[in-house]
Amino acid sequence: MSFLQDIKSSIISEEDDTYISRILEDRIKIKSFIVPDYLYVTDLINPVHSYFSRKYPDIAVPESVNSRMKYGEEVHFLARQWFEQIPGFSGSEVILTATHMGLNVVGRADFMIYDSIVEFKTKNVDRVNIENIYTVYRSDLEQLLFYAAMNRNFTADNFLVFFTEGKFHVYRVSVRDPAAVENEMVFRFSLIKRGIENGDISDFPRCSYFGYGCQFSEAGVCMCHSLRPGDPAWIKNVATVAEDHEMESTLEALYTEDAKNIDLRFYDLIYPRKYYHKITGDSRNSDSGASIPSSYYEKNNIKFFVIDSINGSVLSASGSEISEINRVSTLPLYGDDKYIIKNIYDENSIIPYLLKINNSVYSGRFPDTYYSELAIMCARRNRKEGVLITVYPRLGNIVVARDIHFDADRIISICNKAIREIWEAIETRNPDKLDLCPEFAIKSCDFASCSCKKEIIKGRENNK
């Protein structure tokens, strides 16, 4: 059997959870999903860049900036294994929304320690100090402050972590006046909306990308040179920044001890050949930068709102509760675990959940990949139960929540076997023994040497 089939056969039972479905459907009814009706936190950080990226969506990011971003993504992914080992780790790529502040703003916090936000940045510099955080790296500090204000479980102390050439610079950012941060967000939100509507950005602050390889500057359309510089004074009035040598030492010790260099996500077991081609440095097709369909934004819009509905309801688990579960790790895998309280009267009923937005018109028919994602999430935290939450936009946004019980021990064994097979394929530079990726993933694969497509073509030729 294939990996997906093995996982599917490890399901002990599944049943609809009408309690969770009803709570989420009641909240969804009050929301109309206009595409897109939200801004990202990164838009608020750089209003000028936000404006021009919408006005000139076809102007490409310079290759030098693109390479730097890809490097940052790779290091950021490796950083998960460091932060997961810090006591109190409660999440990575944590989706935050500002709907409780009356703003359609969304963002993803890099990590959370208990209920504190951690923003992680890679820098190619020799020195970072408190003074240049307010100047050179002001946008990074603003991003952390906005995330802190958006956090429903607000805590005053949050962390800004810079990583450069194997060295960490950690700063504890203590937010004294979250209301003032919220006011700044409201101001920038209205500024961007007004600018987009009337085409006038003359009162925008200069973008923090000014002079750093901005594609709009190189294309000659940006007017940042004529705009006023941003004023960091508001930050000093709402927060204090101090060095945190304790977390610095912890991260440096974890970085030094990390010889395994494991960077597998649970997705990689489901799409093993895609991971193989990525890790072996296969090139990608040049046409992979095609425009993003509007359905992607619609799905994201619904996804953000549903996560916000969970986090703002009795279904939400606290950072302390999540960190307790995260102390268990049975598999050398990384992922963006999310948890839900299945029963508010049972303190042991906090379980992983997987949220999917499905454009099918047939509710309750789930792809095998859904089961596998949830199963791996549960198994690596040694939980025998999870909730699969699926929203159907084409059926009036109905919600189907299903409780699924797994044979966790069997799934752990299946996953360890799949991990060994992936490493063997990489060592031998031969992916032939790996499962083909799911069909829909093969169709959209942009790796130039996609072995799935080659195997399918070869099979067809042999059958002639």
Side-chain angles (χ1 to χ4, degrees):
M1 284 193 292
S2 69
F3 177 81
L4 294 180
Q5 291 170 331
D6 274 340
I7 294 291
K8 189 77 177 289
S9 69
S10 300
I11 296 174
I12 296 173
S13 66
E14 57 179 305
E15 59 183 352
D16 289 339
D17 190 319
T18 55
Y19 170 69
I20 291 176
S21 297
R22 188 169 60 250
I23 288 176
L24 295 180
E25 279 189 350
D26 287 346
R27 286 176 170 264
I28 285 176
K29 286 175 184 176
I30 66 174
K31 175 73 173 181
S32 61
F33 295 100
I34 303 169
V35 184
D37 67 349
Y38 55 83
L39 295 176
Y40 290 101
V41 167
T42 49
D43 290 318
L44 303 190
I45 300 302
N46 287 304
V48 174
H49 192 271
S50 172
Y51 172 81
F52 281 113
S53 64
R54 286 165 173 77
K55 187 172 182 179
Y56 301 105
D58 296 327
I59 296 180
V61 176
E63 186 53 39
S64 59
V65 176
N66 211 22
S67 299
R68 194 163 66 241
M69 289 171 63
K70 287 181 180 177
Y71 168 75
E73 288 173 2
E74 291 172 3
V75 176
H76 182 278
F77 183 66
L78 289 173
R80 298 186 190 201
Q81 57 196 289
W82 310 327
F83 283 96
E84 277 212 4
Q85 298 178 67
I86 294 178
F89 172 79
S90 58
S92 61
E93 295 294 318
V94 180
I95 293 177
L96 301 169
T97 68
T99 53
H100 58 291
M101 298 158 53
L103 291 176
N104 279 342
V105 174
V106 297
R108 294 177 188 266
D110 290 332
F111 304 102
M112 288 191 78
I113 305 296
Y114 295 115
D115 287 317
S116 295
I117 306 290
V118 179
E119 193 61 16
F120 178 81
K121 301 292 183 182
T122 56
K123 302 294 179 185
N124 187 24
V125 295
D126 296 326
R127 182 179 177 82
V128 179
N129 56 48
I130 289 179
E131 194 50 45
N132 62 20
I133 286 177
Y134 289 105
T135 53
V136 180
Y137 307 121
R138 187 179 77 249
S139 61
D140 299 328
L141 180 55
E142 288 181 346
Q143 188 171 2
L144 178 64
L145 291 174
F146 291 168
Y147 285 153
M150 292 166 65
N151 185 6
R152 285 182 179 272
N153 297 319
F154 171 80
T155 184
D157 289 337
N158 301 275
F159 301 92
L160 188 57
V161 179
F162 296 101
F163 177 78
T164 174
E165 298 295 330
K167 175 130 182 98
F168 295 88
H169 305 273
V170 182
Y171 298 91
R172 182 185 294 263
V173 179
S174 300
V175 183
R176 298 191 306 268
D177 190 351
V181 179
E182 182 176 335
N183 289 340
E184 182 70 18
M185 293 177 66
V186 171
F187 167 71
R188 296 195 191 186
F189 185 90
S190 60
L191 191 72
I192 294 170
K193 287 291 188 181
R194 189 173 66 249
I196 291 173
E197 289 170 2
N198 61 25
D200 181 11
I201 63 169
S202 59
D203 57 347
F204 278 30
R206 181 180 295 168
C207 182
S208 61
Y209 293 144
F210 182 67
Y212 290 92
C214 171
Q215 69 264 39
F216 305 114
S217 177
E218 291 187 5
V221 300
C222 180
M223 52 184 289
C224 265
H225 61 279
S226 64
L227 299 177
R228 59 181 174 82
D231 184 4
W234 76 273
I235 298 176
K236 294 185 178 181
N237 293 328
V238 302
T240 56
V241 180
E243 294 176 336
D244 192 304
H245 297 296
E246 182 179 350
M247 186 180 285
E248 249 176 39
S249 300
T250 299
L251 286 169
E252 286 177 1
L254 291 170
Y255 175 77
T256 303
E257 293 169 5
D258 177 32
K260 297 177 183 176
N261 219 19
I262 296 170
D263 61 350
L264 276 167
R265 305 168 302 169
F266 56 78
Y267 297 112
D268 297 322
L269 303 191
I270 300 170
Y271 311 93
R273 297 206 185 192
K274 185 174 183 179
Y275 177 78
Y276 169 86
H277 289 291
K278 181 184 75 172
I279 208 71
T280 54
D282 187 17
S283 61
R284 294 178 183 266
N285 294 321
S286 58
D287 61 349
S288 60
S291 59
I292 299 173
S294 60
S295 60
Y296 171 84
Y297 295 105
E298 181 182 11
K299 283 187 174 183
N300 260 358
N301 203 17
I302 298 172
K303 183 178 182 180
F304 292 141
F305 184 77
V306 175
I307 290 176
D308 186 57
S309 296
I310 293 171
N311 293 340
S313 72
V314 294
L315 305 173
S316 177
S318 70
S320 298
E321 291 169 324
I322 293 172
S323 65
E324 237 353 85
I325 298 172
N326 283 350
R327 290 175 63 184
V328 176
S329 183
T330 63
L331 291 166
L333 299 170
Y334 297 91
D336 307 326
D337 302 328
K338 294 179 176 59
Y339 300 95
I340 196 167
I341 297 178
K342 180 185 173 184
N343 183 349
I344 61 173
Y345 303 108
D346 180 2
E347 62 182 11
N348 297 315
S349 73
I350 300 175
I351 57 178
Y353 78 87
L354 178 68
L355 172 63
K356 292 292 184 179
I357 314 301
N358 192 316
N359 276 330
S360 172
V361 294
Y362 303 102
S363 65
R365 297 184 184 180
F366 308 126
D368 288 348
T369 53
Y370 287 16
Y371 290 103
S372 295
E373 286 183 42
L374 182 60
I376 300 169
M377 288 168 61
C378 291
R380 84 183 190 105
R381 298 306 185 191
N382 203 27
R383 316 298 280 194
K384 299 181 185 300
E385 180 186 5
V387 178
L388 174 57
I389 301 172
T390 311
V391 183
Y392 293 88
R394 295 175 65 186
L395 296 175
N397 291 317
I398 66 168
V399 179
V400 175
R402 185 162 291 176
D403 296 329
I404 304 176
H405 291 79
F406 300 98
D407 181 342
D409 293 335
R410 183 158 183 254
I411 291 170
I412 291 171
S413 175
I414 293 168
C415 289
N416 279 324
K417 177 176 178 288
I419 291 168
R420 289 194 300 271
E421 290 173 347
I422 289 174
W423 287 127
E424 181 182 337
I426 293 170
E427 287 172 0
T428 60
R429 285 297 193 268
N430 184 356
D432 291 351
K433 292 184 180 180
L434 297 177
D435 287 348
L436 270 65
C437 296
E439 184 179 354
F440 69 88
I442 297 174
K443 289 179 179 178
S444 60
C445 182
D446 62 348
F447 281 106
S449 299
C450 174
S451 58
C452 295
K453 291 178 181 176
K454 288 182 179 179
E455 188 165 329
I456 291 171
I457 293 171
K458 184 178 179 181
R460 288 172 180 166
E461 291 175 346
N462 290 339
N463 290 329
K464 286 181 179 180

